[in-house]
Amino acid sequence: EVGMFRGNHQTRVDEKFRLKLPVEFKRLVDDDYGPVFYITSQDGRSAQLWPMKVWEAYEAKIVQLEETDPDRGDFLNVTSYYGQTVEMDSQGRLLLPPVIRQSAKLTGDVNVLGMQTILEVNNLELFKADRTGPDGFVAVSRSTKAAVAEKTKALKG
């Protein structure tokens, strides 16, 4: 049983392109996940920090798909294009791969969002611009709320 990454903790990417893991997340990494991450993206707009054991579990599922499956190919092309294996240093810093760093503009102040078993890193301003609705708030749409309620209704837990 591993702990879940939750919430938004802002941090900085330094001039050497290292992301300092927020202490709330670093504690969980130390206790449950270990220092090695696969850092990638599925859209070029944000970086996903997959603890290596979480990425390997996902890979074990992907590898079972047919090699000719176009979705499998697309997923692997994009995640490999952005992806690199990175080890956290003793100060809790991760060097961001150049392709994703440039694409997602990951410099200065960034959001680090807990997405259960992975972390997502976003440029502060781009995230707000992307996610702010017509009312000026970052919000879950009514249709998404309804869809999540419907999808989780029958699940155990």
Side-chain angles (χ1 to χ4, degrees):
E1 181 91 1
V2 294
M4 295 282 175
F5 296 117
R6 293 185 187 95
N8 174 17
H9 299 283
Q10 291 181 4
T11 190
R12 289 190 60 76
V13 175
D14 70 16
E15 65 287 342
K16 293 183 179 168
F17 311 117
R18 297 170 303 193
L19 171 88
K20 180 135 176 76
L21 259 196
V23 67
E24 298 83 355
F25 294 144
K26 185 180 180 308
R27 193 174 306 121
L28 206 49
V29 168
D30 291 340
D31 292 347
D32 291 359
Y33 292 105
V36 181
F37 286 81
Y38 189 66
I39 300 180
T40 188
S41 182
Q42 294 181 51
D43 61 5
R45 300 184 73 77
S46 64
Q48 293 179 327
L49 279 50
W50 294 72
M52 190 51 84
K53 69 182 183 183
V54 177
W55 178 257
E56 286 172 345
Y58 198 64
E59 263 182 336
K61 292 178 182 174
I62 300 286
V63 78
Q64 294 173 55
L65 299 175
E66 288 295 324
E67 284 188 28
T68 54
D69 183 321
D71 294 326
R72 174 187 185 270
D74 190 39
F75 178 83
L76 290 174
N77 266 320
V78 173
T79 56
S80 290
Y81 173 73
Y82 290 113
Q84 278 186 5
T85 301
V86 176
E87 188 162 357
M88 187 173 70
D89 71 14
S90 59
Q91 268 106 69
R93 297 174 303 197
L94 290 161
L95 182 63
L96 295 175
V99 179
I100 184 55
R101 183 180 77 228
Q102 289 157 10
S103 174
K105 299 181 175 41
L106 298 178
T107 54
D109 294 322
V110 294
N111 285 322
V112 183
L113 303 178
M115 306 288 277
Q116 299 188 318
T117 57
I118 66 171
L119 294 168
E120 189 174 281
V121 184
N122 298 279
N123 171 295
L124 214 53
E125 297 312 312
L126 284 180
F127 181 83
K128 283 184 188 161
D130 267 358
R131 301 293 312 208
T132 300
D135 59 1
F137 293 100
V138 173
V140 176
S141 71
R142 186 170 281 147
S143 62
T144 298
K145 276 188 233 176
V148 170
E150 190 58 38
K151 289 173 182 177
T152 56
K153 200 163 37 182
L155 300 176
K156 292 178 177 61

